[in-house]
Amino acid sequence: MYTNKAIQVLDRMRLSNGAYTASLSNDYSYVWIRDIVYTVLPFINEPSDRYVNAYHALFDMFKTYEWKIDIHRKKKPIYLFEYIHSRYSTDLKEMPVEWGHAQNDAIGAFLWGVGEGYRLGQKVIRDKKDIEIVQKLVDYLECLQYWQAKDNGMWEENMEVHASSIGACVAGLNAVKILVNVKEDLIKKGENALRNLLPRESETKETDLALLSLVFPYRVVDRDQALKIVETVSSKLERTHGVIRYENDQYYNEGSEAEWCFGFPWLGLCYLELGQFHKASEYIEKTKRIVPDNWEVPELYVGGTNQPNGNTPLAWSVAMSYIFLTKMEDLAQQKIS
């Protein structure tokens, strides 16, 4: 069955420490916090070593840099290297390379994955120390004033206030308030900021693929706002081989914006969240079109071409395609029975 192939591809990107490399390409032989959160989503609903060990690896990594978290629970980072890094070597060490490390959504994503995993019975928390790390990350987001903080966002680019980053933090804080102390006001400030910024992603971007995260997996917007986000992304950003991240995106742009493969299953998953099964089903064929027989789903198709880029397979693309097609297949089976 095709689903086994998907898991086999993901397993090839699984490291001995439990984390995942973002891709098997030379360019992406790193570990991103956010990529791991999305890569292990297929395993969240049933007890899974893959899910649990990935989070234990990230907890251990945060322990290595606990001294840094301690500093910035009280003192806002100024330089990018002072932020909790978003990207690490495969042995989970910081790298002394300039990078857009101010990615508040990555911290929100981690907290969400811990809290949601815990709620669903995953043994993500091992001991008191893990709980301490969660609390310190909550304090870090408070110190950053995440609800009004400029960051590099999901795409690691220019510093501005991103709705997708605020939403990830709101989701993360909500998810861990059962485990640690999260002031209600800390969540409220994020929710208010989100209301004021949406439906825009940021000052410079009217819409953005990253906004889909507020619908799936985070579910931090109401139905009307979710519909607006999904319909705008679909109508403005959808292309032949995937979904562009935003208009005038220059990454892998050769005459037009690069088309990201995981955009198709992501839109499908959002329509499923909204109970719009007829719309979701439109994305089955679109998703199958970007999933090759060997399940090595690319990151993107280079803008203006029919060629995928070298970051193939991308773990995140494989995981999202797998989740969506599996869910649609399960729904079809239920209808038959």
Side-chain angles (χ1 to χ4, degrees), residues 270-294:
C270 288
Y271 279 118
L272 265 186
E273 283 291 324
L274 291 159
Q276 296 199 338
F277 306 115
H278 62 293
K279 286 294 289 180
S281 64
E282 290 174 19
Y283 289 88
I284 297 173
E285 285 313 312
K286 290 177 183 180
T287 300
K288 284 181 175 175
R289 207 163 62 224
I290 52 95
V291 175
D293 288 342
N294 63 6

Side-chain angles (χ1 to χ4, degrees), residues 105 149 151-158 160-168 193-194 196-214 225 229 232-233 237 245-247:
D105 82 287
D151 77 337
N152 295 117
M154 189 179 277
W155 312 130
E156 312 185 312
E157 294 184 333
N158 56 314
E160 55 181 342
V161 179
H162 291 93
S164 57
S165 292
I166 296 170
L194 208 49
N196 291 332
L197 191 49
L198 288 172
R200 295 188 74 86
E201 160 69 343
S202 65
E203 194 179 330
T204 65
K205 297 190 186 91
E206 181 193 352
T207 192
D208 191 300
L209 178 56
L211 287 171
L212 295 185
S213 63
L214 307 184
Q225 196 64 262
I229 288 169
T232 306
V233 168
L237 307 182
R245 299 189 299 184
Y246 52 88
E247 289 172 335

Side-chain angles (χ1 to χ4, degrees), residues 13-194:
M13 287 179 270
R14 193 180 183 197
L15 301 165
S16 57
N17 55 25
Y20 285 78
T21 180
S23 175
L24 296 172
S25 81
N26 292 332
D27 287 353
Y28 275 16
S29 56
Y30 304 107
V31 168
W32 272 267
I33 295 170
R34 176 194 316 99
D35 285 52
I36 288 180
V37 171
Y38 281 87
T39 298
V40 298
L41 275 179
F43 313 112
I44 194 171
N45 284 308
E46 50 201 52
S48 166
D49 284 350
R50 292 178 179 92
Y51 193 90
V52 167
N53 292 344
Y55 278 91
H56 291 172
L58 291 175
F59 268 120
D60 292 343
M61 181 194 76
F62 285 129
K63 285 178 198 170
T64 304
Y65 297 102
E66 191 172 2
W67 59 270
K68 175 187 265 196
I69 304 171
D70 283 336
I71 292 169
H72 297 298
R73 288 165 69 203
K74 302 181 176 72
K75 180 173 171 284
K76 267 190 197 177
I78 297 167
Y79 303 104
L80 287 175
F81 70 83
E82 293 180 311
Y83 283 82
I84 298 173
H85 282 203
S86 52
R87 185 186 77 155
Y88 298 81
S89 61
T90 51
D91 59 354
L92 301 179
K93 297 288 189 288
E94 286 186 356
M95 294 171 292
V97 179
E98 272 195 45
W99 198 257
H101 284 301
Q103 294 175 38
N104 301 343
D105 82 287
I107 304 305
F110 171 78
L111 292 175
W112 178 84
V114 169
E116 186 67 2
Y118 180 81
R119 186 181 73 79
L120 293 168
Q122 303 282 0
K123 294 184 165 38
V124 280
I125 301 289
R126 295 166 293 189
D127 51 32
K128 198 170 75 175
K129 190 72 210 170
D130 286 347
I131 292 285
E132 275 177 31
I133 293 291
V134 172
Q135 184 66 63
K136 288 180 177 188
L137 291 173
V138 169
D139 299 343
Y140 171 78
L141 290 181
E142 182 172 19
C143 180
L144 288 178
Q145 297 183 309
Y146 80 91
W147 58 91
Q148 57 186 12
K150 293 181 177 180
D151 77 337
N152 295 117
M154 189 179 277
W155 312 130
E156 312 185 312
E157 294 184 333
N158 56 314
M159 291 282 280
E160 55 181 342
V161 179
H162 291 93
S164 57
S165 292
I166 296 170
C169 294
V170 168
L173 294 168
N174 260 319
V176 297
K177 66 185 181 188
I178 192 83
L179 295 169
V180 297
N181 177 40
V182 179
K183 298 171 192 160
E184 205 50 49
D185 191 44
L186 193 55
I187 295 172
K188 285 274 186 292
K189 283 174 176 169
E191 289 172 339
N192 290 337
L194 208 49

Side-chain angles (χ1 to χ4, degrees), residues 235-246:
S235 63
K236 298 207 166 181
L237 307 182
E238 199 174 314
R239 301 290 186 270
T240 308
H241 302 292
V243 181
I244 66 172
R245 299 189 299 184
Y246 52 88

